Amino acid sequence: MASEDVKRSESAVTTIVNLAEEAKFAKEGVQAPSHAFLSICKSLFAGGVAGGVSRSAVAPLERLKILLQNPHGIKYNGTIQGLKYIWKTEGFRGMFKGNGTNCARIIPNSAVKFFSYEEASKGILYLYRQQSGNEDAQLTPLLRLGAGACAGIIAMSATYPMDMVRGRLTVQTEMSPRHYRGIFHALTTVLREEGPRALYKGWLPSVIGVVPYVGLNFAVYESLKDWLIKIRPFGLVEDSELGVTTKLACGAAAGTVGQTVAYPLDVIRRRMQMVGWKDAASVVTGDGNSKAPLEYTGMVDAFRKTVRCEGFGALYKGLVPNSVKVVPSIAIAFVTYELVKDVLGVELRISD
């Protein structure tokens, strides 16, 4: 009964929002946009909100992860000690350093990613039904993996320069030379000193890593939800709907699987982004000392030098804070996206 009341409330909110939009356009003498266009805008908005909320919630852990990934960075004894050191030396602002740039990247990235996943799922499902001759066929986990991979590649490629700049801004500390003053200054400096290709350093391992990461995120989350709805264990399902807590658990499981598989590629991507720029070593070390940074000729060379110089374990540096970050981040992103879409009255009908 409670769930029915919630659904009626959401339906009423949706109706009010739509009527308000139509009244506004009529008053201004402007022809109302098509339903399809509004649906696309709402989907993109929901994805952007999901990305911004989820990433800001775990910003301190995101910064610590990037600092741990750098080969010449300060050595921390653990996640708690690392966070305490950042708080002691840089204060509250230090905990969220780079988050503005990160949100400027993740909001459009998340918007494009969620929207691309839905569109790719519809396209893949249509082709699957045509090929199998079964109009009632549904997406399999493998097909969801493919749709998620497509979405991840599109979103990553579209926003990669922002990720590149965000990484460089994040590794700067209070003791480092102020090489970059902000997002715009970093972008223009990289373009002037290193050329436009530098904005896509580390793009290849990023794309390779995003296939299992985003693909598994969507595949595990959607498949786990469908499985729970089908078997209805422990009273977790009510009226074919999962509760927020259950959805958060599904998102946490999806994020854990995806990031564990793709993490070494994330480390290599970040290291490739950190080399080839003026004062790179002193910015990374944070002590102003002159130290020749490692140079990588490509992704394979970066893997080889990292393992040779630091051992295989270096490929998983920062995994613990990243795991603590990913569990709530992915979970919050999925649930926020669905909640915002429900409020805006946008339904996902991949199976139609």
Side-chain angles (χ1 to χ4, degrees):
M1 182 66 68
S3 63
E4 294 179 358
D5 293 338
V6 172
K7 290 181 179 178
R8 283 196 292 268
S9 299
E10 291 177 348
S11 178
V13 171
T14 300
T15 302
I16 293 172
V17 170
N18 291 335
L19 289 174
E21 289 175 345
E22 293 175 2
K24 179 181 179 181
F25 285 121
K27 181 178 180 181
E28 296 176 352
V30 179
Q31 184 177 1
S34 66
H35 176 74
F37 178 75
L38 284 176
S39 179
I40 291 173
C41 291
K42 290 176 180 179
S43 294
L44 290 171
F45 177 77
V49 171
V53 171
S54 63
R55 194 51 61 98
S56 296
V58 296
L61 290 167
E62 174 69 13
R63 177 155 194 244
L64 178 61
K65 181 201 78 170
I66 295 176
L67 291 174
L68 287 170
Q69 286 179 343
N70 285 281
H72 303 302
I74 298 172
K75 305 301 181 184
Y76 302 110
N77 294 326
T79 303
I80 302 300
Q81 189 269 336
L83 291 173
K84 285 182 177 179
Y85 181 84
I86 294 173
W87 177 270
K88 181 180 179 180
T89 57
E90 302 180 60
F92 179 81
R93 293 183 63 183
M95 303 289 283
F96 289 86
K97 182 172 289 185
N99 188 52
T101 312
N102 198 20
C103 285
R105 177 192 67 90
I106 202 63
I107 289 174
N109 178 282
S110 181
V112 172
K113 181 174 64 180
F114 278 103
F115 179 73
S116 298
Y117 173 74
E118 293 185 1
E119 295 304 310
S121 297
K122 293 175 185 176
I124 290 174
L125 181 58
Y126 173 79
L127 294 175
Y128 179 58
R129 287 175 173 176
Q130 292 294 313
Q131 185 179 20
S132 64
N134 182 9
E135 291 299 323
D136 295 325
Q138 300 297 321
L139 287 172
T140 65
L142 185 60
L143 293 177
R144 288 192 174 113
L145 178 65
C150 291
I153 292 172
I154 293 170
M156 171 64 73
S157 300
T159 59
Y160 191 80
M162 293 300 297
D163 182 67
M164 162 73 167
V165 168
R166 190 261 305 192
R168 292 195 176 185
L169 284 171
T170 302
V171 299
Q172 295 181 139
T173 67
E174 291 298 323
M175 295 180 290
S176 303
R178 291 290 184 178
H179 190 64
Y180 299 133
R181 296 190 297 268
I183 301 173
F184 182 75
H185 180 249
L187 284 170
T188 54
T189 302
V190 171
L191 282 171
R192 184 177 65 253
E193 296 183 356
E194 303 173 52
R197 290 185 62 184
L199 293 174
Y200 281 87
K201 280 184 176 179
W203 177 83
L204 182 58
S206 299
V207 168
I208 295 175
V210 88
V211 170
Y213 179 64
V214 179
L216 285 171
N217 280 346
F218 279 108
V220 173
Y221 179 72
E222 297 290 346
S223 299
L224 192 54
K225 282 202 312 176
D226 287 350
W227 179 73
L228 289 174
I229 291 173
K230 182 178 180 180
I231 67 171
R232 297 172 174 268
F234 312 115
L236 295 175
V237 182
E238 184 178 348
D239 296 331
S240 298
E241 290 290 336
L242 295 176
V244 172
T245 303
T246 306
K247 288 181 179 179
L248 285 170
C250 291
T256 301
V257 172
Q259 67 96 25
T260 301
V261 173
Y263 193 78
L265 287 159
D266 186 56
V267 172
I268 295 302
R269 171 190 61 146
R270 193 66 63 194
R271 293 193 171 198
M272 290 178 71
Q273 290 177 344
M274 293 302 109
V275 299
W277 52 304
K278 184 181 178 182
D279 296 329
S282 57
V283 171
V284 173
T285 58
D287 56 13
N289 294 330
S290 178
K291 184 183 293 185
L294 287 172
E295 294 288 345
Y296 305 123
T297 59
M299 182 182 69
V300 176
D301 183 58
F303 266 110
R304 184 172 59 250
K305 287 181 178 177
T306 297
V307 174
R308 186 177 68 240
C309 297
E310 304 173 62
F312 184 79
L315 295 176
Y316 284 92
K317 277 187 175 179
L319 179 62
V320 173
N322 193 60
S323 298
V324 176
K325 171 184 76 75
V326 163
V327 169
S329 178
I330 298 298
I332 291 171
F334 276 120
V335 174
T336 301
Y337 178 69
E338 294 186 358
L339 290 175
V340 174
K341 287 193 71 175
D342 286 342
V343 171
L344 295 177
V346 182
E347 297 183 6
L348 174 58
R349 295 188 176 93
I350 292 175
S351 60
D352 287 356

